[in-house]
Amino acid sequence: MTIKMEDKTHIQLNNLLYSCVDQKQRGNEQFVHEHALGYVISGETRIQTTDGVKVFGAGNVGLVRRNQLVKSVKVPPPGGEFKSINIFLDQDFLRRYSAENKLPPVEKYSGDPMFILPPDPYIKGYFESLIPYFENAIQPKAALAELKTKEAIELLLRLSPGLKNFLFDFSEPYKIDLEAYMNRHYMFNVPTVQFAKLTGRSLASFKRDFEKVFQTSPGVWLQRKRLSEAYYLIREKGRKPSEVYLDVGFENLSHFSYSFKKTYGVAPSMI
Protein backbone atom coordinates (compact mmCIF):
# COMPACT_ATOMS: atom_id res chain seq x y z
CA MET A 1 0.00 0.00 0.00
CA THR A 2 1.30 3.47 -0.87
CA ILE A 3 -0.19 6.26 1.20
CA LYS A 4 1.68 9.50 0.64
CA MET A 5 1.08 12.84 2.23
CA GLU A 6 3.21 15.29 0.24
CA ASP A 7 2.07 18.09 2.55
CA LYS A 8 -1.17 18.99 4.22
CA THR A 9 -2.68 19.95 0.86
CA HIS A 10 -2.02 16.75 -1.10
CA ILE A 11 -2.82 13.18 -0.07
CA GLN A 12 -2.07 10.26 -2.38
CA LEU A 13 -3.24 6.67 -2.11
CA ASN A 14 -1.53 4.67 -4.84
CA ASN A 15 -2.89 6.23 -8.04
CA LEU A 16 -5.57 8.36 -6.31
CA LEU A 17 -4.66 11.97 -5.49
CA TYR A 18 -6.63 14.44 -3.37
CA SER A 19 -5.74 18.14 -3.50
CA CYS A 20 -6.89 20.94 -1.22
CA VAL A 21 -5.30 24.41 -1.45
CA ASP A 22 -6.42 27.85 -0.29
CA GLN A 23 -4.11 29.83 -2.59
CA LYS A 24 -3.60 29.90 -6.34
CA GLN A 25 -1.05 27.18 -7.07
CA ARG A 26 0.81 26.10 -10.17
CA GLY A 27 1.26 22.41 -10.84
CA ASN A 28 4.81 21.08 -10.57
CA GLU A 29 4.57 18.38 -13.23
CA GLN A 30 4.34 19.57 -16.84
CA PHE A 31 4.51 16.17 -18.55
CA VAL A 32 1.40 14.00 -18.31
CA HIS A 33 2.81 10.49 -17.90
CA GLU A 34 -0.51 8.63 -17.65
CA HIS A 35 -4.17 9.21 -18.47
CA ALA A 36 -5.82 11.25 -15.71
CA LEU A 37 -9.48 11.32 -14.71
CA GLY A 38 -10.21 14.29 -12.46
CA TYR A 39 -13.13 15.75 -10.54
CA VAL A 40 -13.10 19.38 -9.38
CA ILE A 41 -14.98 19.62 -6.10
CA SER A 42 -14.56 23.38 -5.65
CA GLY A 43 -12.66 26.14 -7.43
CA GLU A 44 -11.25 25.51 -10.89
CA THR A 45 -8.28 24.03 -12.70
CA ARG A 46 -6.83 25.91 -15.68
CA ILE A 47 -4.80 23.73 -18.02
CA GLN A 48 -2.68 25.39 -20.68
CA THR A 49 -1.40 23.65 -23.79
CA THR A 50 -0.05 25.07 -27.04
CA ASP A 51 -3.68 25.10 -28.26
CA GLY A 52 -4.87 27.41 -25.48
CA VAL A 53 -6.32 27.18 -21.98
CA LYS A 54 -9.09 24.80 -20.92
CA VAL A 55 -10.92 25.54 -17.67
CA PHE A 56 -12.35 22.74 -15.52
CA GLY A 57 -14.80 24.27 -13.03
CA ALA A 58 -16.49 23.00 -9.89
CA GLY A 59 -18.50 19.88 -10.64
CA ASN A 60 -16.66 19.15 -13.87
CA VAL A 61 -15.13 15.74 -14.55
CA GLY A 62 -12.26 15.89 -17.01
CA LEU A 63 -10.22 13.31 -18.87
CA VAL A 64 -6.64 14.09 -19.91
CA ARG A 65 -4.62 11.82 -22.21
CA ARG A 66 -1.06 10.72 -21.47
CA ASN A 67 2.04 11.96 -23.29
CA GLN A 68 1.10 15.63 -23.22
CA LEU A 69 2.87 18.78 -22.12
CA VAL A 70 0.64 21.01 -20.01
CA LYS A 71 0.82 23.79 -17.46
CA SER A 72 -1.86 23.69 -14.78
CA VAL A 73 -3.04 26.17 -12.16
CA LYS A 74 -5.34 25.38 -9.24
CA VAL A 75 -7.58 28.34 -8.41
CA PRO A 76 -9.64 28.39 -5.19
CA PRO A 77 -13.02 30.14 -5.12
CA PRO A 78 -13.21 33.53 -3.34
CA GLY A 79 -12.66 32.94 0.38
CA GLY A 80 -12.61 29.17 -0.07
CA GLU A 81 -10.45 26.21 -0.97
CA PHE A 82 -9.69 24.48 -4.23
CA LYS A 83 -10.44 20.76 -3.91
CA SER A 84 -10.11 17.97 -6.44
CA ILE A 85 -9.63 14.22 -6.81
CA ASN A 86 -7.54 12.75 -9.62
CA ILE A 87 -7.20 9.13 -10.67
CA PHE A 88 -4.22 8.15 -12.81
CA LEU A 89 -4.91 5.31 -15.21
CA ASP A 90 -1.48 3.87 -15.89
CA GLN A 91 -0.61 1.70 -18.87
CA ASP A 92 0.19 -1.44 -16.87
CA PHE A 93 -3.20 -1.36 -15.16
CA LEU A 94 -5.04 -0.72 -18.42
CA ARG A 95 -3.18 -3.57 -20.15
CA ARG A 96 -4.17 -5.95 -17.33
CA TYR A 97 -7.77 -4.77 -17.50
CA SER A 98 -7.82 -5.25 -21.28
CA ALA A 99 -6.39 -8.78 -20.99
CA GLU A 100 -8.71 -9.80 -18.14
CA ASN A 101 -11.75 -8.61 -20.07
CA LYS A 102 -10.50 -10.00 -23.41
CA LEU A 103 -10.92 -6.65 -25.16
CA PRO A 104 -10.08 -6.64 -28.87
CA PRO A 105 -7.30 -4.34 -30.16
CA VAL A 106 -8.44 -0.77 -30.71
CA GLU A 107 -7.70 1.79 -33.41
CA LYS A 108 -5.13 4.48 -32.79
CA TYR A 109 -6.77 7.33 -30.89
CA SER A 110 -6.95 10.58 -32.86
CA GLY A 111 -9.53 12.57 -30.92
CA ASP A 112 -9.29 15.40 -28.41
CA PRO A 113 -6.53 14.69 -25.86
CA MET A 114 -8.35 16.62 -23.14
CA PHE A 115 -12.05 17.22 -22.54
CA ILE A 116 -14.84 17.63 -19.99
CA LEU A 117 -17.17 14.63 -19.72
CA PRO A 118 -20.93 15.18 -20.02
CA PRO A 119 -22.77 15.26 -16.67
CA ASP A 120 -23.34 11.77 -15.33
CA PRO A 121 -24.84 10.95 -11.90
CA TYR A 122 -22.96 7.65 -11.66
CA ILE A 123 -19.53 9.21 -12.18
CA LYS A 124 -20.36 12.12 -9.88
CA GLY A 125 -21.53 9.69 -7.20
CA TYR A 126 -18.38 7.65 -7.72
CA PHE A 127 -16.13 10.63 -6.92
CA GLU A 128 -18.27 11.74 -3.99
CA SER A 129 -17.87 8.25 -2.49
CA LEU A 130 -14.10 8.85 -2.37
CA ILE A 131 -14.18 12.20 -0.56
CA PRO A 132 -14.70 10.83 3.00
CA TYR A 133 -11.55 8.68 2.77
CA PHE A 134 -9.40 11.76 2.20
CA GLU A 135 -11.20 14.40 4.26
CA ASN A 136 -11.40 12.15 7.33
CA ALA A 137 -7.83 10.85 7.03
CA ILE A 138 -9.05 7.26 6.71
CA GLN A 139 -6.34 4.90 5.48
CA PRO A 140 -8.04 2.28 3.30
CA LYS A 141 -6.26 -0.78 2.00
CA ALA A 142 -4.48 -0.60 -1.35
CA ALA A 143 -7.05 -3.05 -2.71
CA LEU A 144 -9.57 -0.22 -2.55
CA ALA A 145 -7.52 1.84 -4.99
CA GLU A 146 -7.51 -1.06 -7.45
CA LEU A 147 -11.24 -1.65 -7.12
CA LYS A 148 -11.97 2.05 -7.52
CA THR A 149 -9.75 2.25 -10.59
CA LYS A 150 -11.61 -0.66 -12.19
CA GLU A 151 -14.89 1.01 -11.30
CA ALA A 152 -13.73 4.23 -12.94
CA ILE A 153 -12.95 2.40 -16.18
CA GLU A 154 -16.31 0.62 -16.13
CA LEU A 155 -18.15 3.91 -15.62
CA LEU A 156 -16.24 5.62 -18.42
CA LEU A 157 -17.05 2.83 -20.86
CA ARG A 158 -20.68 2.84 -19.73
CA LEU A 159 -20.87 6.60 -20.33
CA SER A 160 -19.20 6.40 -23.74
CA PRO A 161 -18.13 3.08 -25.27
CA GLY A 162 -16.05 5.08 -27.76
CA LEU A 163 -13.63 5.92 -24.95
CA LYS A 164 -12.10 2.46 -25.38
CA ASN A 165 -9.84 3.93 -28.09
CA PHE A 166 -8.76 6.71 -25.72
CA LEU A 167 -8.03 4.29 -22.87
CA PHE A 168 -6.62 1.24 -24.63
CA ASP A 169 -4.51 2.70 -27.42
CA PHE A 170 -1.08 1.65 -26.16
CA SER A 171 0.93 3.02 -29.08
CA GLU A 172 3.80 5.40 -28.42
CA PRO A 173 4.57 8.73 -30.15
CA TYR A 174 5.98 8.33 -33.65
CA LYS A 175 8.83 10.33 -35.17
CA ILE A 176 7.62 13.83 -36.01
CA ASP A 177 9.05 17.12 -37.26
CA LEU A 178 11.53 18.14 -34.56
CA GLU A 179 11.86 21.81 -35.47
CA ALA A 180 8.13 22.46 -35.58
CA TYR A 181 7.53 20.62 -32.31
CA MET A 182 10.28 22.41 -30.35
CA ASN A 183 9.24 25.84 -31.58
CA ARG A 184 5.74 25.15 -30.22
CA HIS A 185 6.75 23.50 -26.93
CA TYR A 186 10.02 25.12 -25.76
CA MET A 187 8.29 26.87 -22.86
CA PHE A 188 7.52 23.60 -21.08
CA ASN A 189 10.10 22.89 -18.38
CA VAL A 190 10.66 19.15 -18.78
CA PRO A 191 13.82 17.01 -19.08
CA THR A 192 15.30 16.49 -22.55
CA VAL A 193 14.35 12.82 -22.36
CA GLN A 194 10.66 13.83 -22.37
CA PHE A 195 11.09 15.96 -25.49
CA ALA A 196 12.82 12.96 -27.07
CA LYS A 197 9.91 10.64 -26.24
CA LEU A 198 7.27 13.06 -27.47
CA THR A 199 9.03 13.50 -30.81
CA GLY A 200 9.34 9.72 -31.26
CA ARG A 201 13.07 9.42 -30.67
CA SER A 202 15.58 7.87 -28.33
CA LEU A 203 17.55 10.40 -26.29
CA ALA A 204 20.65 9.82 -28.42
CA SER A 205 18.83 10.27 -31.74
CA PHE A 206 17.00 13.33 -30.38
CA LYS A 207 20.28 15.05 -29.50
CA ARG A 208 21.79 14.07 -32.83
CA ASP A 209 18.80 15.29 -34.84
CA PHE A 210 18.53 18.42 -32.71
CA GLU A 211 22.09 19.52 -33.47
CA LYS A 212 21.52 18.92 -37.18
CA VAL A 213 18.43 21.14 -37.15
CA PHE A 214 19.49 23.90 -34.73
CA GLN A 215 23.31 23.70 -34.90
CA THR A 216 23.54 23.67 -31.11
CA SER A 217 22.63 21.51 -28.11
CA PRO A 218 19.07 21.30 -26.70
CA GLY A 219 20.11 22.98 -23.43
CA VAL A 220 21.72 25.99 -25.11
CA TRP A 221 18.88 26.42 -27.60
CA LEU A 222 16.14 26.14 -24.98
CA GLN A 223 17.69 28.76 -22.72
CA ARG A 224 18.27 31.15 -25.62
CA LYS A 225 14.74 30.66 -26.93
CA ARG A 226 13.16 31.14 -23.50
CA LEU A 227 15.19 34.28 -22.79
CA SER A 228 14.28 35.74 -26.17
CA GLU A 229 10.58 35.21 -25.50
CA ALA A 230 10.94 36.67 -22.00
CA TYR A 231 12.68 39.76 -23.42
CA TYR A 232 9.84 40.25 -25.86
CA LEU A 233 7.15 39.85 -23.19
CA ILE A 234 8.84 42.29 -20.82
CA ARG A 235 9.88 44.95 -23.36
CA GLU A 236 7.00 44.82 -25.82
CA LYS A 237 4.12 43.60 -23.67
CA GLY A 238 5.03 45.37 -20.43
CA ARG A 239 4.93 42.24 -18.30
CA LYS A 240 6.92 41.88 -15.09
CA PRO A 241 9.83 39.40 -14.77
CA SER A 242 8.01 37.72 -11.86
CA GLU A 243 5.06 37.08 -14.20
CA VAL A 244 6.95 35.64 -17.16
CA TYR A 245 9.77 33.43 -15.90
CA LEU A 246 7.53 30.42 -15.26
CA ASP A 247 5.58 31.00 -18.47
CA VAL A 248 8.71 30.77 -20.62
CA GLY A 249 10.09 27.66 -18.90
CA PHE A 250 12.41 28.71 -16.05
CA GLU A 251 12.17 27.03 -12.66
CA ASN A 252 12.91 30.01 -10.42
CA LEU A 253 13.20 33.78 -10.62
CA SER A 254 16.81 34.04 -9.43
CA HIS A 255 18.13 31.71 -12.15
CA PHE A 256 16.05 33.51 -14.74
CA SER A 257 17.34 36.93 -13.64
CA TYR A 258 20.96 35.73 -13.61
CA SER A 259 20.68 34.18 -17.09
CA PHE A 260 18.85 37.21 -18.47
CA LYS A 261 21.48 39.68 -17.24
CA LYS A 262 24.32 37.47 -18.48
CA THR A 263 22.75 37.39 -21.95
CA TYR A 264 21.46 40.97 -22.31
CA GLY A 265 23.80 42.82 -19.94
CA VAL A 266 20.96 44.22 -17.87
CA ALA A 267 18.60 42.87 -15.23
CA PRO A 268 15.11 42.02 -16.55
CA SER A 269 13.60 44.50 -14.08
CA MET A 270 15.50 47.30 -15.85
CA ILE A 271 14.11 46.66 -19.35
Side-chain angles (χ1 to χ4, degrees), residues 97-150:
Y97 180 95
S98 179
E100 289 170 3
N101 291 275
K102 297 181 174 57
L103 301 182
V106 301
E107 298 177 4
K108 185 174 177 61
Y109 182 75
S110 59
D112 194 337
M114 180 191 314
F115 49 86
I116 296 172
L117 295 175
D120 181 77
Y122 296 99
I123 292 180
K124 182 180 179 182
Y126 163 80
F127 275 105
E128 289 178 345
S129 74
L130 289 172
I131 294 174
Y133 290 102
F134 294 106
E135 293 195 339
N136 295 302
I138 298 172
Q139 296 190 357
K141 295 180 180 179
L144 175 70
E146 178 148 343
L147 286 172
K148 283 297 184 180
T149 304
K150 286 183 178 179

Side-chain angles (χ1 to χ4, degrees), residues 26 30 49 61 79 107 116 178 196 207-208 216 230 239 257:
R26 286 178 177 261
Q30 296 189 8
T49 69
V61 177
E107 298 177 4
I116 296 172
L178 183 61
K207 291 180 177 179
R208 184 171 58 250
T216 189
R239 296 185 61 188
S257 298

Side-chain angles (χ1 to χ4, degrees), residues 130-203:
L130 289 172
I131 294 174
Y133 290 102
F134 294 106
E135 293 195 339
N136 295 302
I138 298 172
Q139 296 190 357
K141 295 180 180 179
L144 175 70
E146 178 148 343
L147 286 172
K148 283 297 184 180
T149 304
K150 286 183 178 179
E151 184 181 355
I153 295 170
E154 296 283 353
L155 289 173
L156 286 173
L157 294 177
R158 174 195 167 277
L159 177 66
S160 176
L163 286 175
K164 65 180 182 298
N165 287 353
F166 182 107
L167 295 170
F168 304 111
D169 169 17
F170 301 117
S171 61
E172 293 299 329
Y174 55 89
K175 195 170 185 178
I176 60 174
D177 185 308
L178 183 61
E179 182 175 12
Y181 186 87
M182 293 307 298
N183 277 314
R184 278 176 57 84
H185 296 86
Y186 66 86
M187 74 293 295
F188 291 97
N189 184 13
V190 296
T192 304
V193 68
Q194 304 295 7
F195 283 125
K197 178 176 181 177
L198 292 169
T199 57
R201 293 165 169 84
S202 67
L203 182 57

Side-chain angles (χ1 to χ4, degrees), residues 6-238:
E6 299 175 5
D7 50 52
K8 66 180 182 179
T9 63
H10 297 90
I11 302 173
Q12 186 167 354
L13 167 62
N14 288 16
N15 61 318
L16 310 180
L17 176 66
Y18 173 80
S19 299
C20 177
V21 298
D22 58 8
Q23 298 181 44
K24 188 176 180 180
Q25 184 181 94
R26 286 178 177 261
N28 294 324
E29 186 65 65
Q30 296 189 8
F31 176 66
V32 181
H33 292 267
E34 304 288 359
H35 302 326
L37 175 67
Y39 173 55
V40 179
I41 302 168
S42 58
E44 64 182 33
T45 299
R46 300 171 186 168
I47 300 182
Q48 177 186 347
T49 69
T50 54
D51 294 322
V53 177
K54 186 176 288 289
V55 178
F56 297 83
N60 286 160
V61 177
L63 194 57
V64 179
R65 188 164 167 77
R66 68 188 178 104
N67 289 337
Q68 285 193 78
L69 292 176
V70 304
K71 292 186 179 185
S72 64
V73 180
K74 300 179 177 74
V75 183
E81 296 175 318
F82 168 87
K83 296 181 181 180
S84 70
I85 296 177
N86 284 285
I87 300 169
F88 300 102
L89 307 172
D90 68 75
Q91 295 297 282
D92 288 342
F93 190 96
L94 290 169
R95 286 181 187 277
R96 291 201 310 272
Y97 180 95
S98 179
E100 289 170 3
N101 291 275
K102 297 181 174 57
L103 301 182
V106 301
E107 298 177 4
K108 185 174 177 61
Y109 182 75
S110 59
D112 194 337
M114 180 191 314
F115 49 86
I116 296 172
L117 295 175
D120 181 77
Y122 296 99
I123 292 180
K124 182 180 179 182
Y126 163 80
F127 275 105
E128 289 178 345
S129 74
L130 289 172
I131 294 174
Y133 290 102
F134 294 106
E135 293 195 339
N136 295 302
I138 298 172
Q139 296 190 357
K141 295 180 180 179
L144 175 70
E146 178 148 343
L147 286 172
K148 283 297 184 180
T149 304
K150 286 183 178 179
E151 184 181 355
I153 295 170
E154 296 283 353
L155 289 173
L156 286 173
L157 294 177
R158 174 195 167 277
L159 177 66
S160 176
L163 286 175
K164 65 180 182 298
N165 287 353
F166 182 107
L167 295 170
F168 304 111
D169 169 17
F170 301 117
S171 61
E172 293 299 329
Y174 55 89
K175 195 170 185 178
I176 60 174
D177 185 308
L178 183 61
E179 182 175 12
Y181 186 87
M182 293 307 298
N183 277 314
R184 278 176 57 84
H185 296 86
Y186 66 86
M187 74 293 295
F188 291 97
N189 184 13
V190 296
T192 304
V193 68
Q194 304 295 7
F195 283 125
K197 178 176 181 177
L198 292 169
T199 57
R201 293 165 169 84
S202 67
L203 182 57
S205 65
F206 174 82
K207 291 180 177 179
R208 184 171 58 250
D209 291 351
F210 196 99
E211 296 218 10
K212 287 180 182 178
V213 173
F214 296 105
Q215 287 77 55
T216 189
S217 67
V220 170
W221 183 87
L222 283 166
Q223 176 159 299
R224 188 168 62 205
K225 184 75 171 176
R226 290 164 178 170
L227 287 172
S228 176
E229 178 66 10
Y231 186 94
Y232 167 77
L233 292 173
I234 295 170
R235 184 177 178 84
E236 303 298 330
K237 298 297 183 179

Side-chain angles (χ1 to χ4, degrees), residues 4 137 188 230-231 264 267 270:
K4 181 179 179 184
F188 291 97
Y231 186 94
Y264 296 108
M270 301 302 292

